Amino acid sequence: MQNPWWHSAVVYQIYPRSFADADGDGMGDLRGIIEHLDHIAGLGVDVIWLSPVYPSPQDDNGYDISDYQDIEPVFGTLADFDELLAGVHARGMKLVMDLVVNHSSDEHPWFVESRSGKASPKRDWYWWRPAREGMEPGSPGAEPTNWGSAFGGSAWEYDAASGEYFLHLFSRKQPDLNWENPAVREAIYAMMNWWLDRGVDGFRMDVIDHISKDTTLPDGALRPGTPYGDGGPHYLNGPRNHEFLHEMHQRVFAGRDELLTVGEMPGVTVDEAVKYTDPAREEVDMVFQFDHVWADRGADPWVLYPLRLTNLKAIFGRWQAGLAEVGWNSLYWNNHDQPRVVSRFGDDSPRYRERSAKMLGAVLHLHRGTPYVYQGEELGMTNTPFASIADFRDIEALGHYAQAVEHEGRSPEDVLTVLRARSRDNARTPMQWNASPQAGFTSGTPWLAVNPNYPQINAESAVKDEESVYHFYRRLIELRHEEPAVVYGDFTMLLPHDERLYAFTRAHGDTTLLVIGNFSAETVRAEIDDAAAWETAELLLTNATPPQDLVLQPWQAVIYRAVRR
Ligand code: NOJ
């Protein structure tokens, strides 16, 4: 079988709300994206993934969809969308849509109909259940299961009109669709085919490992310190998940060339990912796993732990080895749900921000898999110094604050410290285009404040400066396109016990690449075998003065190439 095109591709993610506002209402839009396509094409990426642009009450910034086959008026029209798609294709790139079908908005006509009464023909399109046996419907603790929702509170919402509850693993405005019902699946496949026929090139599938639930809906083990149980074991990677994705493949993807499909799968294991991405099983091309972005947290996501580099390397090493023969990795540091990586795993002080951002890019992009760049990552954008809870907009941050401060009596300052490090709003501050007011994002008032560091960190100055993070990312992407060892080389982790250096080789045919990243502000010598031989190898890329004797400066990255003759 021929290798698929996306093995050597790099994807750029746009979060439309925060990318570029063309009409001055403070919210990004499609025309804003159209105006900035050259910035993305200039990086050399192959694909754009667009976070949701569909009509939505915006309870979870568009991940709550009320019409799957139109465009949110704040973002534009279908005509704007077609123009955007044509502009992307004209620049030789592809466009992948976000597919959010674990749940819809409660304002979607399907749910409105479903909610209209127990006899509704669409009642069974969602998860409706009576109160716990022997309990008064609507009374505390009468929810059908003890599951907590991702954004705080119970995963069940009581509907007084019918006396039943509906399931929402995310907000109460995001009811879960019932994939057990074949009519639901047919409607979703029809919608997906409609977008592909319109010309889009694939889908990023939101929490797609949540679609099959254990239909007996058992209680979960209680989470310490909360009244809620962990339903995860009963809805993550459930009994029919593979079957549903294979059916989707047959009904939607089969016979269409050149698509890219990636399933977002919180909690997926390596073994399951091999199955999801084994081409012979015809499910998805690759998955987003979460292990590495959970490397600095424990069971409670709101407790901060320092990163142990050995842990991060063990995680990546396991994934690289696990998918070496069958399946394919996706690679990311950032997306709209993660804090900015340069603040998280690098050093965002003026002294080392650019150097550490480049080091992080080099290490990630030299792994085997398809790299994803999130808007602003190519500028080394940082977390934001949010002053108070009033500065946050994300439903997750606000929900956590209310739960922790108002219900659990924790200190507001402690909760804010965690939110400043972890909140998804760090990723969602407006894209920094230039040094003009509001970073050139909008002529109005942005929906979420611009990071005050935009006069120093912005696209205009980065594109002009050959030494910027932007041009370093451009070279990394170019290297992937030109050097087969980056795409196909066997991965071997070196120095697994070193807490400062991240080192590995990629070997393909007669070519071996050596990659070393210094994850510390110290000068460190890489004690690897054949150090002397590597010293004389070709240095393909570095972010500081070339090293002597493999002594790396703070946050330095090096990529060497040796060719056996
Ligand atoms: C994952 C998305 O990336 C996130 O932004 C969203 O809140 C949840 N899924 C629910 O759709």
Side-chain angles (χ1 to χ4, degrees), residues 414-457:
D414 288 355
V415 176
L416 279 176
T417 301
V418 177
L419 285 180
R420 277 187 204 108
R422 280 292 152 78
S423 168
R424 309 193 296 183
D425 278 336
N426 282 302
R428 301 174 180 188
T429 60
M431 178 74 175
Q432 294 165 207
W433 290 109
N434 55 44
S436 71
Q438 309 300 358
F441 164 71
T442 180
S443 57
T445 307
W447 69 275
L448 173 66
V450 170
N451 190 316
N453 62 20
Y454 71 87
Q456 293 78 44
I457 305 173

Side-chain angles (χ1 to χ4, degrees), residues 117-136:
K118 286 185 187 171
S120 157
K122 289 207 166 51
R123 187 67 166 179
D124 185 48
W125 281 42
Y126 294 83
W127 293 83
W128 289 97
R129 288 293 184 276
R132 193 178 283 273
E133 224 177 302
M135 295 205 60
E136 180 63 26

Side-chain angles (χ1 to χ4, degrees), residues 60 63 103 151 170 204 206-207 264 336-337 424 428:
D60 185 19
Y63 283 88
H103 43 268
F151 297 148
F170 294 88
R204 172 271 184 188
D206 193 68
V207 290
E264 188 211 23
H336 62 292
D337 295 331
R424 309 193 296 183
R428 301 174 180 188

Side-chain angles (χ1 to χ4, degrees), residues 3-15:
N3 290 324
W5 63 273
W6 39 262
H7 276 181
S8 57
V10 178
V11 184
Y12 186 93
Q13 182 193 353
I14 294 181
Y15 194 64

